Amino acid sequence: MARHTREDAAATRARILASAQQLIRERGLHCVTVADVARAIGMTRGAVYGHFRSRAELLGALLSCAEADFAARLAPLAQGDAGTGPHALEKTLSDLLRGDELARHVSLVAALLQHKCGEACELCPLRARVLRGVESLRAAFAVVLPAPGLAGLLVAHLWGLLGAHAMQLAPSGLSGSAVALARLYRGHVALSAAQLGCRSGATSSAARVRDTP
């Protein structure tokens, strides 16, 4: 009987995760079972359960991969290596959008965000993890945005880009969007400040008029 090493187990686990991820992208989360994942790579369902005790554990491992990808790309920001000033946002966006690998997580994350049920189920804890991750992402961007209140909008903007790429509605090479996005958000802040200044000036003028006998 062949002996299975730790490396063999890790390689098999990686194959199972890759199979699950691909099927979820093709069919959607709710149309993929453990049996489907096993069949796609020539394994039995029991063999998959030897690595993941449940479908929820398998999905949790996939979500961990997504969390690790985002964390690795945001590491320079978390460690204070992104710098400060107008170029910090551009660098952070460039690190996040480098390559197209993040788009592979869109189907899973989208399905978990949209998940709703009347009672606790295997997906509810995973959805809670996604929501915590979204809040962490907002907090991370708030550090490099001149107006922290724009962080939520930027996260939504990035999610739209990733989703469009995952559905093949946007070209590959999302990193090219980093400069344009950074300029857009810096320009938005400058415009808002200018508008605020105009309103303040108008208010002051109005006040002087009213105070004039």
Side-chain angles (χ1 to χ4, degrees):
M1 178 181 293
R3 296 181 60 185
H4 296 285
T5 65
R6 185 173 300 177
E7 290 76 14
D8 292 333
T12 301
R13 182 183 173 91
R15 286 181 61 214
I16 294 171
L17 290 173
S19 173
Q21 189 174 70
Q22 183 61 34
L23 289 175
I24 290 171
R25 291 184 69 175
E26 293 173 355
R27 305 180 187 178
L29 175 61
H30 297 289
C31 295
V32 176
T33 66
V34 172
D36 294 329
V37 173
R39 191 180 306 113
I41 51 178
M43 294 178 66
T44 64
R45 186 173 61 175
V48 173
Y49 280 125
H51 293 270
F52 302 95
R53 293 171 295 180
S54 65
R55 181 172 180 266
E57 186 173 301
L58 172 57
L59 296 177
L62 279 178
L63 183 55
S64 293
C65 292
E67 292 167 339
D69 274 358
F70 275 94
R73 291 162 185 269
L74 291 172
L77 179 61
Q79 297 165 3
D81 296 332
T84 58
H87 297 296
L89 177 60
E90 184 178 320
K91 183 180 188 316
T92 299
L93 290 173
S94 296
D95 289 339
L96 187 67
L97 296 175
R98 183 180 63 255
D100 301 324
E101 292 82 2
L102 284 185
R104 63 184 175 174
H105 304 301
V106 167
S107 297
L108 173 66
V109 174
L112 292 174
L113 282 172
Q114 295 166 8
H115 172 70
K116 294 180 181 179
C117 67
E119 58 185 28
C121 71
E122 64 177 9
L123 297 183
C124 288
L126 299 180
R127 182 174 187 273
R129 278 174 57 183
V130 171
L131 292 175
R132 289 195 297 271
V134 170
E135 289 305 315
S136 296
L137 195 56
R138 286 175 181 163
F141 280 120
V143 173
V144 290
L145 280 168
L150 289 174
L153 181 61
L154 179 54
V155 169
H157 203 151
L158 288 168
W159 179 250
L161 277 175
L162 291 171
H165 177 68
M167 293 184 290
Q168 299 181 343
L169 297 177
S172 60
L174 289 179
S175 57
S177 304
V179 175
L181 269 180
R183 287 176 179 171
L184 174 65
Y185 278 83
R186 288 201 304 268
H188 180 87
V189 171
L191 179 60
S192 298
Q195 290 172 337
L196 181 60
C198 289
R199 287 197 296 270
S200 299
T203 301
S204 298
S205 297
R208 286 194 295 270
V209 169
R210 286 195 300 269
D211 291 340
T212 302

